[in-house]
Amino acid sequence: MTDTPASDVSDASSADTSVSATPQAPLAGLRVLDLATLFAGPLAATMLGDFGAEVVKVEHPAKPDPSRGHGPAKDGVGLWWKLLGRNKKNLTLDLSTPGGRDVLLRLAAGADVVVENFRPGTLEKWGLGWAELSAANPRLVLARVTGFGQFGPYSRRPGFGTLAEAMSGFAAVTGEPDGPPTLPPFGLADSVAALSTAYAVMTALAGRERTGRGQVVDMAIIEPMLTVLGPQPVWYDQLGYVQPRTGNRSTNNAPRNTYRTADGRWLAVSTSAQSVAERVVRLVGRPELAAEPWFGSGAGRARHADELDEAVGGWIARHDAATVVAAFDEAQAAVAPVYDVRDVMADEQYRALGSITEVEDAELGTVKMQNVLFRLSETPGAIRWAGRPHGADTDAVLAELGLTGAEIAGLRDEGAV
């Protein structure tokens, strides 16, 4: 991974998107068309771009990706877009027009991957379904990201991550036992689906190496969330067990909770390992608890969570956060402060990893954002530029495709770009 940000640019509309991935970037040479919006599909394309793929973001000429208007903005520039749109060239194209359809098919003929999240049947309505795309390029991988998948009784419903967080079982187990089901305050399901989509695309590309042909990835956002929730279906199938809401506690081990320190900070403690649980109770001055018969298993400790929380929470409440963290570190017990973004930006471990990096940007000067997702020792990823203005690369992309100035002007007259 590199902390070297995007290339220097002189103005918002002329960023040097000719800066390509370094030759050792693992996905250099991979060409991706991002037709998707909000948020799983575009984020999957971002992850591919971070490791060298050439990504062209396709947006409607009059209706940009709504993420440009989500959340806070600075001087009219949407900040979320700077993250989501990084490492992508930006092209406007109305796929419902004849000219837009023709351009998309020409782009697809030279691409490796198309990512889309229209409702099932929309691309087919425009003459851009799998039949047409695969005819233009038999090696193409088409990643279709929707709330409920391409078939089934819910497939044509509008689908957002919030619905997946509700329907997967996540909200049902999140929150206090006597409180309502709780939704996350960020795009959790979309992000999990993005990771899953990027993995699915790479799997399909690996398959293409053996068969010579592309295929369709059908990603339903409800399914990755179901997977990350763990063994709930197995528990229910075999035992009829339905996991309850337990707040910050766990039904699998204890002590596991957040505890407030004498100086008003919150700390999270986890004791998934038996040896760590024993170290914690010794640290807080209650070694006799480790001799109890029920202490020998995570489930047994979870049944005595009140007693363990009182012991651990009482000790932590008598000390400031720095003292508690130092004592836990010395005892080789697991503890972490509960951070907000200010703490993340200042934390020495995140700094050592380079988890937050600074990217030069023509509109904002510089912008700090999360770095690429993981480090590779030989073929690192990089952020070459932040999210581009709407349509900033339309003429350049169309010219690369071989269209003349007159042809581009004709597409503008048609409203196709």
Side-chain angles (χ1 to χ4, degrees), residues 36-61:
T37 61
L38 290 179
F39 286 95
L43 182 55
T46 301
M47 293 172 181
L48 299 175
D50 284 351
F51 286 89
E54 178 189 349
V55 182
V56 175
K57 171 71 177 182
V58 178
E59 297 181 78
H60 191 280

Side-chain angles (χ1 to χ4, degrees), residues 82-367:
K82 289 298 176 183
L83 174 69
L84 192 63
R86 72 190 191 189
N87 290 336
K88 299 179 183 181
K89 298 179 181 179
N90 200 269
L91 165 71
T92 60
L93 203 60
D94 185 346
L95 302 180
S96 68
T97 63
R101 175 186 181 276
D102 291 345
V103 169
L104 196 281
L105 287 174
R106 290 178 65 174
L107 287 168
D112 297 285
V113 180
V114 171
V115 182
E116 66 98 1
N117 70 337
F118 298 104
R119 290 196 204 183
T122 301
L123 281 185
E124 285 75 8
K125 179 179 66 177
W126 295 334
L128 291 169
W130 177 238
E132 292 84 0
L133 290 172
S134 61
N137 182 356
R139 290 176 56 81
L140 188 70
V141 170
L142 174 62
R144 317 195 78 165
V145 186
T146 57
F148 303 104
Q150 293 295 309
F151 56 91
Y154 303 162
S155 62
R156 292 183 179 271
R157 289 183 181 178
F160 297 101
T162 297
L163 308 188
E165 290 147 10
M167 290 182 61
S168 63
F170 172 83
V173 298
T174 305
E176 294 299 323
D178 57 351
T182 302
L183 296 167
F186 65 99
L188 175 62
D190 282 308
S191 298
V192 174
L195 287 162
S196 303
T197 301
Y199 165 63
V201 165
M202 297 311 299
T203 301
L205 290 171
R208 187 181 73 175
E209 292 304 302
R210 289 197 293 221
T211 67
R213 294 191 62 83
Q215 59 185 301
V216 176
V217 171
D218 180 3
M219 179 61 65
I221 297 175
I222 57 174
E223 290 184 306
M225 280 300 294
L226 186 62
T227 296
V228 300
L229 284 168
Q232 288 189 18
V234 179
W235 286 341
Y236 181 73
D237 173 62
Q238 296 295 306
L239 302 172
Y241 175 73
V242 178
Q243 183 176 340
R245 284 192 294 283
T246 55
N248 290 324
R249 287 180 172 178
S250 170
T251 57
N252 302 315
N253 65 81
R256 193 265 198 182
N257 213 327
T258 57
Y259 306 95
R260 196 166 193 176
T261 65
D263 56 345
R265 296 297 304 270
W266 288 94
L267 302 177
V269 172
S270 177
T271 58
S272 295
Q274 179 71 23
S275 59
V276 174
E278 293 171 2
R279 291 173 200 152
V280 169
V281 293
R282 287 198 298 267
L283 171 63
V284 302
R286 297 292 304 275
E288 76 280 2
L289 292 172
E292 294 287 347
W294 48 263
F295 197 89
S297 71
R301 297 197 307 275
R303 290 192 292 271
H304 291 262
D306 286 342
E307 187 174 354
L308 290 168
D309 275 348
E310 182 180 356
V312 176
W315 184 86
I316 289 176
R318 297 193 295 273
H319 301 83
D320 62 37
T323 300
V324 174
V325 171
F328 269 70
D329 280 349
E330 185 176 354
Q332 298 184 49
V335 69
V338 176
Y339 278 175
D340 63 23
V341 68
R342 294 168 294 186
D343 303 307
V344 169
M345 300 289 268
D347 181 81
E348 60 184 358
Q349 181 62 29
Y350 282 124
R351 284 182 175 175
L353 294 173
S355 305
I356 303 295
T357 191
E358 191 169 80
V359 181
E360 295 181 12
D361 181 74
E363 293 180 294
L364 299 175
T366 58
V367 57

